[in-house]
């Protein structure tokens, strides 16, 4: 794929038709991508970092190369070898990127975790994945008290001074002449292990290869984010989620764009965050729906967002109401992208596609995405089925290798020629995909199937509703009855009259059988640490 700094957005139909996966024998994101940018544009900004205290640093591609050469030498000097697994838990500090690139160079398999994890979560991850090393930040050391006896971990690294067995990591730039040469990694060699978000149950371990994420995310960066080398891209995610790999690592750097990172700790502050977009002159911006829902409640006219070229969303479905509000204020459509920790972006509202409000878009170049039935056959347009990726006769490069140590999950995700995602959708006659829900979340009521998201989106159109979660409650007569947990916007108070008003409102906005027969007002919704609504947790509290 040739690179030209000011190319126009790629035409979707042409890309679908012409795209072929390259399948080189060897691939390494650090040497093949970062070092190439360093050679071609050494002084171009690669990482623009800032934090809440006002500190700010810019690292060029050349610095990124030299600091990751140093990190690779440092890690191998500690005895870590190709194939060893290193658990990395850090806030959004530049060292995370240096160490990760160092691991990639040396073939060390990195396993990101979010700083929100507790000691118990960390122990589970270290032991489940047989980690050999822990890489962390001085601010996270307390999280490891009580896990230091975790079986198999021999190497403990922190960015701060800490007593033995901790070794201090202080980043430096290392000229190439002093660097250790590592043998090239094979494209099929393991690159990283992510834990899924745990929205439906215990997180699963997803293993990616040097190619599946390192190379596969060119789809994300080039076709969906539409990045060019002069872009300043910001994805809102902490370092522990696949979203970070999509939008804060492989996606932007594949295309030589600058990765804008703002290190905030604690709760997401939408007002402060809009100021970051303004100050950093961000050109392309990706956020999860939980953040979008908070952003559109702010005074969007109070900030100058004129630098923005694209805004995108992934991780959960995004309510049309939110897209409309943002568009009114900024003129930009929020384009959705659909994928999983297991994949790169596999369905997206690509820039050249005529947008359809509420649709996730169309299949990515390089992927055949089907909507299939229990027998593994594609269903007719307009009918609901399982979202699946064709893996035979050819497995797309941007798809994980499999779940680690989880035969049941591997079996459940395989059906005939397909990898089954666990999500449900409808494809329309034009080929657009419409998300219905996670298979487990779909509600069966009075013979109808209802995706919680459409009821939540209808509720969100009412000014009193800030956010909601909709589930099916077991019901003797109708199978399941629809129940909504509702969080109100400031200035509105819970009352039976308001509940009635919301029910009437949904009956008018959508088909009446979808209205929630029960409404409960709450002050918080259960979410994963990455901000996704855990409907499974609400279901567990229900009795027939
Ligand atoms: P777990 O697998 O542990 O339950 P998870 O599925 O939430 O957690 P992720 O891999 O972070 O873990 O999320 C992928 C899922 O997020 C998808 O399977 C889908 O349900 C949802 N998702 C992602 N993007 C979109 C989108 N644009 N629209 C609707 N849903 C989306
Ligand atoms: Mg999942």
């Amino acid at each position: 794929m040739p690179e030209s700094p000011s190319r126009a957005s790629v035409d979707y139909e042409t890309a679908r038709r012409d795209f072929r996966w390259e399948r080189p024998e060897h691939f390494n994101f650090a040497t093949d991508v970062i070092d190439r940018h360093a050679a071609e544009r050494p002084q171009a900004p690669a990482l623009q970092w800032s934090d809440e205290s006002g500190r700010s640093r810019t690292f060029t591609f050349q610095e990124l190369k030299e600091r990751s050469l140093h990190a690779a030498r440092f890690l191998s000097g500690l005895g870590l070898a190709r194939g060893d697994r290193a658990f990395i838990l850090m806030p959004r500090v530049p060292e995370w990127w240096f160490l990760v690139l160092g691991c990639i160079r040396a073939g060390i398999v990195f396993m990101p975790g979010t700083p929100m994890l507790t000691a118990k979560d960390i122990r589970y991850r270290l032991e489940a994945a047989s980690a050999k090393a822990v890489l962390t930040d001085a601010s996270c050391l307390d999280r490891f008290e009580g896990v230091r006896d975790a079986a198999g971990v021999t190497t403990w690294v922190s960015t701060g001074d800490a007593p033995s067995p901790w070794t201090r990591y202080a980043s430096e730039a290392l000229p190439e002449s002093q660097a250790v040469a590592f043998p090239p990694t094979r494209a099929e060699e393991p690159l990283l292990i992510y834990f899924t978000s745990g929205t439906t149950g215990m997180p699963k371990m997803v293993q990616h290869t040097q190619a599946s994420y390192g190379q596969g995310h060119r789809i994300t960066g080039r076709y969906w984010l539409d990045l060019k080398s002069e872009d300043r891209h910001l994805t809102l995610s902490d370092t522990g989620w696949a979203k970070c790999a999509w939008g804060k690592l492989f996606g932007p750097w594949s295309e030589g764009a600058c990765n804008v990172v703002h290190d905030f700790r604690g709760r997401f502050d939408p007002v402060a965050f809009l100021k970051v977009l303004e100050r950093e002159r961000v050109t392309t911006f990706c956020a999860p729906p939980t953040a979008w829902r908070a952003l559109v409640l702010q005074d969007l006219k109070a900030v100058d967002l004129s630098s923005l070229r694209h805004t995108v969303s992934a991780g959960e479905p995004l309510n049309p109401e939110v897209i409309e509000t943002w568009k009114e204020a900024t003129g930009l459509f929020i384009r959705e992208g659909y994928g999983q920790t297991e994949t790169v972006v596999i369905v997206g509202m690509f820039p050249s596609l005529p947008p359809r409000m509420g649709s996730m878009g169309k299949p990515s170049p390089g992927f055949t995405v089907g909507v299939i039935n229990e027998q593994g056959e594609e269903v007719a347009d307009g009918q609901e089925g399982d979202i699946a990726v064709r893996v035979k006769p050819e497995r797309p490069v941007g798809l994980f290798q499999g779940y680690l140590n989880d035969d049941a999950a591997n079996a459940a995700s395989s059906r005939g020629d397909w990898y089954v995602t666990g999500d449900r959708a409808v494809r329309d006659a034009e080929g657009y995909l419409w998300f219905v829900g996670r298979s487990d979340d779909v509600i069966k009521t009075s013979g109808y199937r209802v995706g919680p998201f459409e009821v939540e989106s209808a509720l969100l159109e009412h000014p009193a509703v800030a956010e909601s979660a909709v589930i099916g409650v077991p019901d003797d007569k109708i199978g399941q009855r629809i129940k909504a947990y509702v969080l109100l916007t400031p200035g509105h108070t819970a009352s039976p009259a308001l509940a009635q008003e919301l029910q009437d409102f949904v009956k008018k906005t959508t088909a009446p059988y979808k209205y929630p027969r029960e409404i409960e007002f709450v002050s918080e919704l259960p979410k994963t640490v990455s901000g996704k609504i855990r409907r499974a947790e609400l279901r567990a509290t229900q009795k027939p």
Side-chain angles (χ1 to χ4, degrees), residues 20-131:
R20 298 287 175 278
W21 291 105
E22 291 166 22
R23 297 183 189 267
E25 189 186 347
H26 292 100
F27 184 80
N28 185 287
F29 187 78
T31 55
D32 289 331
V33 179
I34 298 299
D35 294 357
R36 178 172 52 87
H37 292 311
E40 289 170 1
R41 299 161 54 242
Q43 298 313 319
L47 178 64
Q48 175 62 53
W49 177 89
S50 61
D51 74 0
E52 287 170 311
S53 68
R55 289 188 298 166
S56 168
R57 287 287 309 270
T58 310
F59 299 93
T60 63
F61 278 105
Q62 181 64 23
E63 283 176 279
L64 206 57
K65 172 180 174 179
E66 294 185 353
R67 285 174 183 274
S68 64
L69 285 171
H70 171 263
R73 189 178 76 171
F74 170 83
L75 294 168
S76 58
L78 294 176
L80 294 174
R82 192 158 157 177
D84 286 344
R85 293 175 184 161
F87 178 69
I88 180 163
L89 179 131
M90 289 187 166
R92 282 160 264 206
V93 290
E95 285 80 358
W96 188 86
W97 283 267
F98 306 149
L99 285 168
V100 158
L101 290 176
C103 286
I104 297 176
R105 272 185 203 287
I108 298 164
V109 181
F110 65 102
M111 306 191 301
T114 163
M116 283 184 271
L117 296 179
T118 61
K120 181 169 158 270
D121 302 326
I122 293 173
R123 175 184 288 279
Y124 168 74
R125 283 162 169 72
L126 293 177
E127 293 183 346
S130 313

Side-chain angles (χ1 to χ4, degrees), residues 438-497:
R438 291 165 176 273
S439 307
D440 304 345
D441 284 346
V442 174
I443 303 164
K444 290 138 207 130
T445 184
S446 307
Y448 295 105
R449 295 171 58 84
V450 178
F453 172 66
E454 46 182 338
V455 185
E456 290 160 9
S457 292
L459 280 164
L460 198 69
E461 286 182 40
H462 191 285
V465 178
E467 211 168 15
S468 71
V470 167
I471 61 163
V473 178
D475 186 296
D476 289 344
K477 295 199 193 74
I478 55 173
Q480 287 182 308
R481 64 181 183 278
I482 301 177
K483 172 167 183 177
Y485 293 81
V486 174
L487 197 83
L488 294 174
T489 46
H492 294 273
T493 329
S495 69

Side-chain angles (χ1 to χ4, degrees), residues 196-200 204 315 317 336-337 339-341 423 435 438 532:
T196 59
S197 298
T199 310
T200 40
K204 299 177 285 280
E336 281 200 60
Q340 307 181 299
T341 307
D423 294 312
F435 183 81
R438 291 165 176 273
K532 299 190 191 200

